[in-house]
Amino acid sequence: MKDYSEINELQLDALKEISNIGAGNAATSLSQMIGRPINMSVPRARIAPFSEIADYVGGADKVTAGGYLRVDGDMPMGMLFMIETEQAFYFLDILFGNAPGTSDSWTEMHCSAFKEIVNILSGSYLNALAVFTNNVYSPSVPAMAVDMTGAILGEVLQTVGEISDYALILENVFIEKEKEITGQLFLLPEPKTLESLLKALGVL
Amino acid sequence: MSKEIIKVGMAAFNIATAPASLVTIGLGSCVGVCLWDSAKKIGGLVHIMLPDSTQARNVTNKAKYADTGIALLVEEMIKKGTTSSRLTAKIAGGAQMFNFPGSTSVIRIGERNIEAVRMCLKRLNIRILAEEVGGSCGRTIEFFTVDGLLHIKTINQGEKTV
């Protein structure tokens, strides 16, 4: 496979399935962490040129908190968790046992807890993938940024940019029932990883 | 008639003539290179993502790289009637959004982008009039073809015009 634009519908569906399994595991972990039920929307898989990708995630100028980590080993890829700042504070208030609305700025403790959430989400997602593909995944410690969506995506997509003009984004949305809180988790596989995933799914 | 605002996406470019302006939203490690012909009031903006096309297997989108992107923009601006010797540049972006603790393997892509852009402009004898680069914040920029001014917006570090 030379470029993400070559992926067909059947393969996209298979990728959605795998991200559903991964994110299902992640949602369970998140739910245990904050002690509340977490639901998930049907995953979406998108292939788009770089110039359009920011529009798919709510616009390049929207301010979001992003937790990003790299996965090395057999299956190199990036993982990104994005959530609007106020929504992130809602999660964190629950986690800290505070009344919703308590947090209003990113203290060191907020950042650290946010990274921990990303850590747990990605860890459980990757565990599900590992069972499925029989590969070794070695995720890095997450890094975080609170800034424009476009700026966050630009850096995250840079590795993909070296090999493709298109980005493949597998997106899962987590929903906390009481307050329609949504966070998006993106899996950004490098082409080599994508091939392995498609082979494991029997669609390549 | 209201002024036209032309959007430039990631790894893309565009050219505008006065009174239109060129906008690119959310530059992170990417660099926005703005070229201006003060006589003809023609402006060009390329949103580059990567420093160097020579490492790439095949280059289908020239605007993605600093070297090919700037060359392409100059070429297209010449087609619109400018001459390369009249062009001046303003650049913004090249931040590092994510800082991985204790990791050296993560290439500082923002810095490499800035360096590559400076080198390419020097090679083409295009003078850089202003730089708003580095740091760790995202930038949204608007480039005015009327006066060649560049307006930069950030989330935490305010706005400025250079």
Side-chain angles (χ1 to χ4, degrees):
Chain A
M1 184 165 305
K2 289 199 201 78
D3 205 301
Y4 292 131
S5 57
E6 293 168 31
I7 297 171
N8 62 37
E9 278 301 312
L10 179 72
Q11 290 170 329
L12 267 188
D13 281 343
L15 288 169
K16 278 186 220 167
E17 188 48 41
I18 209 170
S19 86
N20 205 21
I21 296 167
N25 226 16
T28 308
S29 302
L30 186 60
S31 160
Q32 283 166 355
M33 189 181 183
I34 66 170
R36 298 194 184 199
I38 296 285
N39 288 330
M40 240 177 24
S41 69
V42 178
R44 284 181 289 190
R46 287 166 178 154
I47 295 161
F50 291 126
S51 56
E52 290 169 20
I53 203 80
D55 296 334
Y56 288 98
V57 292
D61 51 355
K62 195 176 74 177
V63 179
T64 51
Y68 174 53
L69 56 97
R70 298 274 324 141
V71 179
D72 296 319
D74 301 343
M75 305 282 270
M77 64 175 105
M79 284 190 95
L80 174 70
F81 179 67
M82 282 204 308
I83 185 167
E84 278 180 41
T85 296
E86 295 89 73
Q87 305 211 335
F89 285 154
Y90 181 79
F91 263 127
L92 292 171
D93 280 335
I94 295 172
L95 192 65
F96 294 153
N98 292 335
T102 307
S103 301
D104 58 2
S105 67
W106 288 95
T107 64
E108 207 166 304
M109 190 172 70
H110 285 91
C111 294
S112 156
F114 181 76
K115 284 189 226 171
E116 191 48 33
I117 290 179
V118 176
N119 216 2
I120 284 164
L121 281 175
S122 52
S124 38
Y125 192 112
L126 291 172
N127 277 344
L129 284 196
V131 170
F132 202 81
T133 64
N134 255 327
N135 284 94
V136 179
Y137 296 82
S138 357
S140 72
V141 174
M144 79 169 286
V146 180
D147 216 306
M148 301 165 187
T149 303
I152 288 174
L153 277 177
E155 184 151 328
V156 164
L157 292 173
Q158 175 262 320
T159 329
V160 174
E162 282 173 11
I163 21 207
S164 173
D165 287 326
Y166 295 82
L168 161 71
I169 289 193
L170 293 171
E171 178 192 14
N172 300 90
V173 177
F174 299 99
I175 303 159
E176 201 271 334
K177 255 295 158 58
E178 228 165 81
K179 207 196 159 201
E180 284 294 308
I181 294 291
T182 57
Q184 295 163 310
L185 186 69
F186 300 97
L187 185 68
L188 307 136
E190 288 179 18
K192 174 188 154 193
T193 307
L194 184 60
E195 278 190 26
S196 308
L197 282 177
L198 292 175
K199 274 183 192 145
L201 289 159
V203 287
L204 186 73
Chain B
M1 202 178 82
S2 67
K3 189 188 60 146
E4 195 188 357
I5 295 173
I6 298 165
K7 265 196 187 182
V8 180
M10 204 186 296
F13 80 100
N14 221 322
I15 295 168
T17 46
S21 64
L22 293 154
V23 167
T24 197
I25 299 166
L27 285 166
S29 57
C30 299
V31 176
V33 182
C34 307
L35 300 181
W36 191 53
D37 176 339
S38 59
K40 295 254 167 128
K41 310 276 185 233
I42 299 174
L45 171 56
V46 60
H47 182 151
I48 66 122
M49 242 182 125
L50 293 162
D52 186 10
S53 71
T54 56
Q55 306 293 320
R57 271 190 304 198
N58 59 339
V59 181
T60 44
N61 179 11
K62 288 185 180 172
K64 194 164 69 178
Y65 302 96
D67 53 350
T68 48
I70 294 171
L72 173 71
L73 183 59
V74 170
E75 206 177 290
E76 293 297 319
M77 286 179 78
I78 288 171
K79 280 185 198 163
K80 302 256 178 189
T82 183
T83 49
S84 144
S85 60
R86 267 206 304 264
L87 292 176
T88 52
K90 291 186 179 179
I91 65 174
Q96 189 180 0
M97 304 304 299
F98 292 101
N99 211 335
F100 284 96
S103 164
T104 48
S105 66
V106 183
I107 332 130
R108 296 175 168 271
I109 192 70
E111 275 173 36
R112 283 175 52 211
N113 279 338
I114 298 164
E115 270 315 303
V117 164
R118 284 182 188 141
M119 240 174 58
C120 296
L121 290 170
K122 197 175 177 195
R123 210 181 301 138
L124 295 164
N125 280 319
I126 298 172
R127 204 153 53 94
I128 300 175
L129 299 182
E131 286 189 2
E132 195 60 36
V133 293
S136 60
C137 63
R139 297 175 172 96
T140 286
I141 60 171
E142 181 167 11
F143 185 48
F144 301 94
T145 54
V146 178
D147 47 17
L149 287 177
L150 181 63
H151 182 74
I152 299 128
K153 252 191 276 188
T154 63
I155 301 297
N156 294 315
Q157 292 171 30
E159 305 187 13
K160 65 159 90 172
T161 304
V162 293

